[in-house]
């Protein structure tokens, strides 16, 4: 068994004092002495426990409005000196430096202050100096000192001292040091990103919420999710969420967030296989399912409307893995929860990041998120025939869907319902042929439907194929040197075409 080192003196200076009293009382009961600052000293003494003020130790008061309280050799020396180095021990005796075995500190709430919209002056004052220095010092000297660097580590420390008394092993101290450096690195990343703004000078990211998944994209791959899932969703029931579930949930949320009308979507492998907008949620569901009832099996369902009983009765007729909605009626939940493995999520009103990142080769790609949603004002009619009002609505609907479909992608829609899509193809012609064939297989009426493409048409072939299928209006970004070829084909066919100038290519 590893040798346990006793804790005789603890330095405690924290911003968050919730649940600290239990630790202080336990340490005191085991004969540990305390050194502290300001409010924390007052807190400890309010428990009826003696505490030495750091000012009495250093001989200096807190100065510069509290900016300098602990930055002194008698504090940092007591933490950093090596207990097995003769030279260090000589200097400890020479300069009357106390031994500090345990440091409990936390940091000013910098990120929370930024998020609150506080002034720059208030934000700067939340950049911790003494706390971060104490954390680094104690973590560096984990061979002799144990560091508790956040409120999240209060309970682990309490478990250690309750089970084994006021003493620690090297393994325990190293664990707490690792946790401490996670705190300090995340804190510094937040400060840098505040100063860097949107410049993207360097990539610095940190997240304290790690959830180990059953596995990654495939069973032989390990997977971890870093993020606060509970800030975005309330999971009412269901099995543990997987890596692939998270990918589909992310795609579903980003898609549905682009729609203001009551809309229901069904996703498989991050693509919508069914989606429709209707005044009533039950009708939106039925229309979405009609697009592709085969692919809907085992899919992820998402809507921006409250699920009622009638809709739940229809939904439960098929097998699905996940359903996401802003809320559910009680009688709807009674139906949906009958199968316990179903993942039922309530989507909260939480902000999504404005940046996207992914690993590539030996680095990371970062870009602004594609938040552009085209409106009628963005549409430039380039053909002799302009789209009708109904076609404009369908073109905007289809354009939202194609934005969230894997490239190359083509979306066919009519009456704000997905007729079919072709996704992830190496050829835009293949994508269109796939969509047309799929629509025909499911008896979706394409006469008078519209076509959306995520990028321009370099040749008029897709326009011709669409015309033969009954497509009467087309939307795409434009930008090809051969745009006129497609425009002329539309004119010859009696089709209308609009260009947006915004490409939505998506890997």
């Amino acid at each position: 068994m590893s040798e346990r080192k006793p804790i005789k003196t603890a330095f405690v200076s924290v911003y968050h004092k919730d649940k600290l009293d239990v630790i202080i009382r336990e340490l005191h009961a085991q004969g540990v002495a305390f050194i502290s600052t300001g409010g924390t000293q007052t807190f400890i003494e309010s428990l009826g426990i003696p505490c030495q003020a750091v000012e009495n130790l250093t001989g200096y008061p807190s100065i510069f409005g509290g900016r300098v309280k602990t930055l002194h050799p008698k504090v940092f020396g007591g933490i950093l000196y090596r207990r097995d180095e003769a030279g260090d021990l000589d200097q400890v005796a020479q300069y009357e430096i106390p031994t500090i075995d345990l440091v409990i500190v936390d940091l000013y709430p910098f990120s929370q202050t930024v998020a609150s919209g506080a002034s720059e002056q208030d934000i700067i004052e939340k950049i911790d100096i003494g706390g971060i220095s104490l954390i680094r010092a104690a973590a560096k000297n984990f061979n002799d000192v144990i560091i508790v660097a956040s409120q999240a580590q209060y309970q682990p420390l309490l478990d250690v001292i309750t089970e084994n008394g006021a003493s620690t092993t090297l393994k325990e101290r190293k664990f707490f040091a690792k946790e401490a450096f996670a705190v300090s690195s995340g804190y510094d990343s937040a400060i840098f990103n505040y100063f860097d703004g949107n410049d993207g000078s360097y990539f610095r990211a940190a997240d304290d919420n790690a959830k180990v998944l059953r596995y990654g994209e495939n069973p032989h791959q390990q997977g971890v999710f870093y993020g606060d899932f509970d800030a975005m969703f309330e999971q009412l029931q269901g099995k543990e969420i997987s890596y692939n579930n998270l990918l589909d949930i992310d795609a579903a949320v980003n898609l549905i967030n682009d729609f203001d009308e009551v809309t229901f979507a069904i996703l498989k492998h991050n693509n919508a296989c069914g989606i429709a907008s209707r005044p009533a949620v039950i009708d939106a569901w039925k229309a979405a399912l009609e697009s592709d009832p085969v692919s809907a099996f085992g899919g992820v369902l998402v809507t921006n409307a409250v699920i009622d009983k009638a809709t739940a009765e229809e939904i439960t007729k098929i097998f699905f893995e996940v359903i996401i909605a802003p809320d559910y009626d009680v009688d709807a939940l009674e139906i949906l929860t009958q199968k316990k493995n179903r993942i039922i999520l309530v989507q909260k009103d939480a902000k999504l990041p404005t940046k996207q990142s992914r690993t590539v080769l030996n680095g990371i790609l970062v870009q602004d998120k594609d938040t552009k949603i085209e409106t009628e004002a963005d549409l430039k009619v380039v053909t002799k025939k302009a789209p009708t009002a109904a076609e404009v609505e369908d073109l905007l609907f289809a354009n939202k869907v194609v934005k969230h479909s894997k490239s190359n992608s083509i979306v066919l829609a009519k009456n704000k319902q997905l007729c079919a899509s072709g996704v992830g193809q190496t050829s835009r012609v293949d994508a269109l042929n796939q969509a047309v064939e799929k629509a025909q297989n499911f008896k979706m009426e394409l006469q008078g439907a519209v076509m959306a493409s995520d990028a321009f048409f370099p040749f008029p072939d897709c326009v011709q194929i669409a015309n033969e299928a009954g497509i009467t209006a087309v939307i795409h970004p434009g930008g090809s040197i051969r745009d006129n070829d497609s425009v002329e084909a539309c004119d010859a066919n009696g089709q209308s075409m609009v260009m947006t100038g915004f490409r939505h290519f998506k890997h």
Side-chain angles (χ1 to χ4, degrees):
M1 181 178 291
S2 301
E3 179 187 358
R4 305 194 68 85
K5 288 196 172 185
I7 301 172
K8 296 181 179 179
T9 302
F11 185 95
V12 187
S13 180
V14 298
Y15 188 90
H16 300 97
K17 299 174 180 63
D18 295 344
K19 301 180 181 179
L20 180 65
D21 57 325
V22 181
I23 292 173
I24 296 299
R25 287 193 173 101
E26 182 65 28
L27 289 170
H28 175 66
Q30 297 185 33
V32 176
F34 298 98
I35 304 168
S36 191
T37 62
T40 306
Q41 178 195 349
T42 302
F43 174 80
I44 293 172
E45 290 175 340
S46 73
L47 301 176
I49 296 171
C51 180
Q52 181 182 8
V54 72
E55 294 90 340
N56 294 338
L57 173 64
T58 64
Y60 283 87
S62 173
I63 58 177
F64 309 135
R67 284 189 167 197
V68 178
K69 291 181 287 190
T70 60
L71 300 171
H72 192 279
K74 286 204 172 181
V75 176
F76 282 86
I79 295 169
L80 281 166
Y81 87 86
R82 293 158 292 188
R83 276 57 166 175
D84 56 357
E85 288 281 338
D88 286 12
L89 294 171
D90 290 342
Q91 290 180 320
V92 163
Q94 179 182 357
Y95 298 112
E96 298 180 343
I97 293 174
T99 297
I100 297 174
D101 312 297
L102 166 64
V103 175
I104 304 177
V105 295
D106 61 6
L107 301 171
Y108 294 151
F110 179 84
S111 294
Q112 295 91 322
T113 305
V114 172
S116 73
S119 67
E120 181 171 88
Q121 181 179 353
D122 289 339
I123 290 169
I124 297 305
E125 288 307 314
K126 290 298 185 291
I127 298 177
D128 208 309
I129 303 301
I132 201 79
S133 301
L134 288 163
I135 288 171
R136 291 180 65 84
K140 177 176 180 175
N141 202 24
F142 67 86
N143 192 61
D144 299 304
V145 180
I146 185 166
I147 170 67
V148 174
S150 74
Q151 207 174 12
Q153 297 307 311
Y154 286 1
Q155 188 59 49
L157 174 67
L158 186 61
D159 293 342
V160 168
I161 62 177
T162 300
E163 185 174 343
N164 297 301
S167 64
T168 59
T169 64
L170 178 61
K171 182 178 179 180
E172 290 167 344
R173 294 190 297 275
K174 198 167 185 177
F175 165 79
F176 280 94
K178 177 203 71 170
E179 297 295 307
F181 282 122
V183 170
S184 66
S185 61
Y187 194 74
D188 284 340
S189 293
I191 294 170
F192 163 76
N193 286 325
Y194 168 75
F195 279 98
D196 195 47
N198 292 319
D199 290 347
S201 306
Y202 306 94
F203 181 79
R204 297 288 184 272
D207 200 301
D208 295 339
N209 301 290
K211 178 178 176 59
V212 177
L213 305 173
R214 294 197 304 273
Y215 51 80
E217 200 164 6
N218 298 290
H220 63 276
Q221 295 170 270
Q222 184 178 358
V224 182
F225 172 66
Y226 297 95
D228 191 355
F229 187 83
D230 293 339
M232 286 211 60
F233 303 100
E234 178 185 1
Q235 184 170 352
L236 302 182
Q237 77 151 37
K239 60 186 178 181
E240 184 182 354
I241 294 173
S242 70
Y243 182 100
N244 291 324
N245 287 153
L246 287 170
L247 290 177
D248 281 326
I249 291 168
D250 176 69
V253 167
N254 282 291
L255 171 63
I256 206 69
N257 283 354
D258 277 358
F259 289 86
D260 295 322
E261 297 177 86
V262 173
T263 301
F264 219 122
I266 307 166
L267 284 86
K268 287 291 286 291
H269 301 288
N270 314 151
N271 292 297
C273 60
I275 182 170
S277 296
R278 294 289 186 271
V281 65
I282 188 169
D283 295 328
W285 161 252
K286 289 179 178 178
L289 181 62
E290 187 180 19
S291 301
D292 185 349
V294 174
S295 295
F297 181 86
V300 170
L301 317 183
V302 64
T303 183
N304 54 8
V306 176
I307 302 289
D308 55 26
K309 180 182 180 182
T311 307
E313 287 174 338
E314 291 297 319
I315 291 171
T316 200
K317 293 177 181 178
I318 73 162
F319 167 73
F320 61 89
E321 282 206 66
V322 182
I323 185 168
I324 308 164
D327 209 350
Y328 305 82
D329 288 345
V330 174
D331 48 6
L333 277 178
E334 290 176 356
I335 296 167
L336 294 174
T337 55
Q338 288 175 5
K339 294 188 177 180
K340 300 305 179 185
N341 279 337
R342 284 175 177 164
I343 297 170
I344 302 177
L345 301 177
V346 175
Q347 183 179 350
K348 300 178 182 178
D349 186 18
K351 290 184 178 180
L352 289 166
T354 58
K355 298 281 187 181
Q356 290 177 308
S357 61
R358 62 185 294 178
T359 57
V360 175
L361 301 175
N362 62 347
I364 295 171
L365 282 174
V366 179
Q367 68 172 353
D368 295 332
K369 198 167 188 179
D370 184 1
T371 57
K372 175 64 180 175
I373 303 174
E374 283 82 358
T375 66
E376 188 172 354
D378 294 310
L379 306 184
K380 179 183 177 183
V381 179
V382 294
T383 47
K384 295 175 182 177
K385 181 182 178 182
T388 66
E391 285 175 331
V392 167
E393 287 191 339
D394 283 344
L395 289 168
L396 293 173
F397 173 90
N399 201 52
K400 291 177 183 178
V401 179
V402 83
K403 168 186 169 183
H404 295 279
S405 303
K406 296 297 178 71
S407 301
N408 287 320
S409 59
I410 291 287
V411 165
L412 307 179
K414 185 178 180 180
N415 298 327
K416 290 186 278 190
Q417 176 189 29
L418 176 65
C419 296
S421 61
V423 298
Q425 299 301 308
T426 54
S427 160
R428 202 160 300 280
V429 171
D430 287 344
L432 176 54
N433 285 330
Q434 180 190 56
V436 171
E437 181 181 358
K438 192 172 184 181
Q440 291 171 346
N441 287 343
F442 290 113
K443 305 295 189 289
M444 300 298 293
E445 177 57 62
L446 292 182
Q447 188 63 45
V450 305
M451 173 174 70
S453 173
D454 59 351
F456 59 68
F457 297 109
F459 305 102
D461 44 10
C462 283
V463 170
Q464 298 288 11
I465 296 169
N467 179 60
E468 293 169 6
I471 304 298
T472 56
V474 179
I475 183 172
H476 68 110
S480 170
I481 60 174
R482 296 185 175 184
D483 277 345
N484 284 340
D485 293 350
S486 296
V487 173
E488 290 173 2
C490 279
D491 284 335
N493 297 332
Q495 297 167 300
S496 61
M497 175 183 284
V498 298
M499 296 183 187
T500 65
F502 295 97
R503 191 179 76 171
H504 292 295
F505 210 72
K506 183 169 182 262
H507 286 279

